[in-house]
């Protein structure tokens, strides 16, 4: 129903954004791998979307390009995978990394993602290996359906450092399915390793990298 949105980025609260499209504000949840590439608040952003309708909610999920959205949709077809788990998977690793895990039957890496136990990881590899066998790495070139102005990955563009960056990072990780203790430990470790003054997005990225 809603496949693409383009408008002014009003708010960024990982993993959710508020996008003003002609006066209508859309709340869109993005995997962190897509969130990192967003422009600063107040600038124009474009996301490819997947619309989910439930009895108790109508939810929008956003992605940098059609390939990432296509992979999310393939994940939703897998047994036991819902939108929340799909978001967690594509937050913990890029679409390219996930495809490589499946193609190389690397279930051990998938197990590190919250909500993915050993059986789920093995089932994902088994169910998706045939579906992704034609997903060559050329699908992930920077210019494929990119919504950025120049198609390049813009790491942390527009990230804002605030006094609550640590709390925001912990909250975002918990939203993605990590336990509070694990989220707090990984964020504090990331902050201690990289020094003070990191934005919530930078802390989330460092924390996720340490856990996967």
């Amino acid at each position: 129903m809603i496949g693409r949105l383009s408008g002014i980025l009003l708010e960024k609260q990982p993993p959710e954004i508020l996008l003003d499209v002609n006066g209508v504000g859309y709340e869109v949840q993005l995997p962190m791998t897509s969130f990192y590439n967003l422009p600063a608040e107040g600038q124009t952003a474009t996301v490819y979307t997947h619309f989910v309708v439930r009895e108790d909610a109508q939810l929008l999920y956003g992605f940098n390009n059609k390939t990432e959205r296509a992979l999310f949709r393939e994940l939703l077809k897998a047994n036991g995978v819902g939108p929340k788990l799909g978001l967690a998977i594509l937050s913990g690793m890029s679409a390219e990394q996930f495809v490589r895990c499946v193609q190389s039957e690397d279930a051990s890496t998938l197990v590190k993602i919250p909500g993915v136990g050993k059986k789920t990881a093995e089932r994902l590899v088994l169910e998706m290996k045939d579906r992704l066998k034609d997903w060559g790495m050329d699908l992930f070139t920077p210019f494929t359906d990119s919504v950025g102005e120049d198609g390049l990955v813009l790491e942390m563009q527009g990230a804002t450092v605030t006094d609550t960056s640590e709390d925001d990072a912990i909250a975002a990780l918990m939203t993605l399915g990590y336990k509070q203790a694990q989220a707090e430990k990984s964020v504090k470790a990331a902050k201690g390793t990289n020094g003070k003054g990191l934005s919530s997005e930078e802390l989330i990225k460092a924390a996720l990298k340490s856990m996967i």
Side-chain angles (χ1 to χ4, degrees):
M1 180 180 178
I2 302 174
R4 180 177 178 272
L5 291 172
S6 183
I8 304 301
L9 187 56
L10 297 181
E11 297 178 10
K12 296 168 65 178
Q13 185 65 43
E16 186 173 276
I17 64 171
L18 180 63
L19 194 65
D20 183 341
V21 182
N22 296 324
V24 179
Y26 290 88
E27 294 178 341
V28 187
Q29 295 185 52
L30 287 77
M32 290 308 301
T33 48
S34 295
F35 201 99
Y36 299 140
N37 298 325
L38 291 169
E41 291 181 0
Q43 296 185 10
T44 299
T46 302
V47 292
Y48 290 93
T49 58
H50 178 79
F51 187 45
V52 173
V53 178
R54 302 190 326 217
E55 290 184 2
D56 59 342
Q58 296 184 28
L59 304 170
L60 272 172
Y61 296 90
F63 307 89
N64 286 329
N65 53 58
K66 293 179 181 179
T67 301
E68 291 178 353
R69 184 180 63 182
L71 180 56
F72 180 76
R73 288 172 171 172
E74 289 296 334
L75 279 167
L76 296 185
K77 296 176 185 177
N79 186 29
V81 178
K84 184 176 180 178
L85 182 54
L87 198 72
I89 291 172
L90 294 181
S91 289
M93 60 180 61
S94 68
E96 179 180 358
Q97 289 170 327
F98 177 78
V99 171
R100 283 178 173 163
C101 279
V102 170
Q103 293 178 342
S104 62
E105 300 184 14
D106 181 11
S108 60
T109 297
L110 296 176
V111 170
K112 298 176 183 178
I113 296 170
V116 180
K118 182 178 179 182
K119 290 184 178 179
T120 300
E122 292 173 346
R123 186 170 62 244
L124 276 172
V125 169
L126 182 65
E127 288 187 25
M128 300 197 70
K129 189 168 184 180
D130 284 342
R131 297 181 197 169
L132 302 181
K133 64 181 179 181
D134 296 325
W135 285 53
M137 291 305 106
D138 57 315
L139 289 173
F140 300 99
T141 55
F143 298 97
T144 302
D145 294 320
S146 175
V147 298
E149 291 182 1
D150 57 6
L152 299 175
V153 175
L154 304 176
E155 294 289 344
M156 306 305 169
Q157 181 179 2
T160 301
V161 178
T162 68
D163 293 337
T164 60
S165 59
E166 186 174 342
D167 292 337
D168 289 344
I170 292 170
L173 291 173
M174 290 174 63
T175 299
L176 293 172
Y178 289 91
K179 301 295 184 182
Q180 182 174 351
Q182 185 181 17
E184 290 177 349
K185 182 179 179 180
S186 60
V187 169
K188 289 182 185 299
K191 189 173 182 179
T193 300
N194 295 280
K196 298 181 179 180
L198 296 181
S199 70
S200 59
E201 293 172 46
E202 291 170 323
L203 286 172
I204 293 166
K205 184 176 183 180
L208 285 171
K209 185 177 181 180
S210 70
M211 290 187 285
I212 300 299

